[in-house]
Amino acid sequence: LCGYALAVKVVPDLRGQPSRLSWPASRIAQTFAMAYRDRTGRSLQIVGGDDWLAGLIAMRAPNRPSVFSQNRFITAPWITPDRIAREGMLIVWRARGAPAPHIDGLKFAGSFRFPWPPMVRARPLIIDWGVVPRHSALRRSIHTGAVGVLSR
């Protein structure tokens, strides 16, 4: 119990950054799964982004979508250009003033704000998101494995 208190309250307060244990994971996953369905009319099958955020959504979303790790084919061989064209994809990133990932055809959808649990003193977590629509023609960078999406 003492270790948990240190991990969740004391150390994050000292660092000025909430612990990953404090993330409102279920709320984040449900919000993005519903937003993706509202935007596309389909259930979420692929979520791309940094490993932590995309993985958190995939672990808690109702149908457990695949993670497109770091938005790169080389780090996510289970995701193919054909699969993205067939299923579409949600892309998420922490707002913190960062621009959207450089993925051609990514349609910015907006931002969601998530409050931290009451014991955490921090600004709300802001996550930006966008959709790569189904039926997109994709190209793959041979050198980096990064994805480029060309809208049809």
Side-chain angles (χ1 to χ4, degrees), residues 20-56:
R20 287 185 170 179
L21 295 172
S22 298
W23 281 53
S26 293
R27 186 177 316 153
I28 291 170
Q30 290 170 0
T31 298
F32 282 107
M34 287 181 1
Y36 185 84
R37 180 176 288 284
D38 290 347
R39 176 66 57 120
T40 66
R42 299 178 53 85
S43 64
L44 180 59
Q45 299 298 315
I46 303 171
V47 58
D50 72 73
D51 291 341
W52 172 255
L53 185 53
L56 179 138

Side-chain angles (χ1 to χ4, degrees), residues 113-125:
R113 298 173 67 90
F114 299 94
W116 296 102
M119 69 181 138
V120 177
R121 291 185 308 238
R123 291 184 176 146
L125 173 64

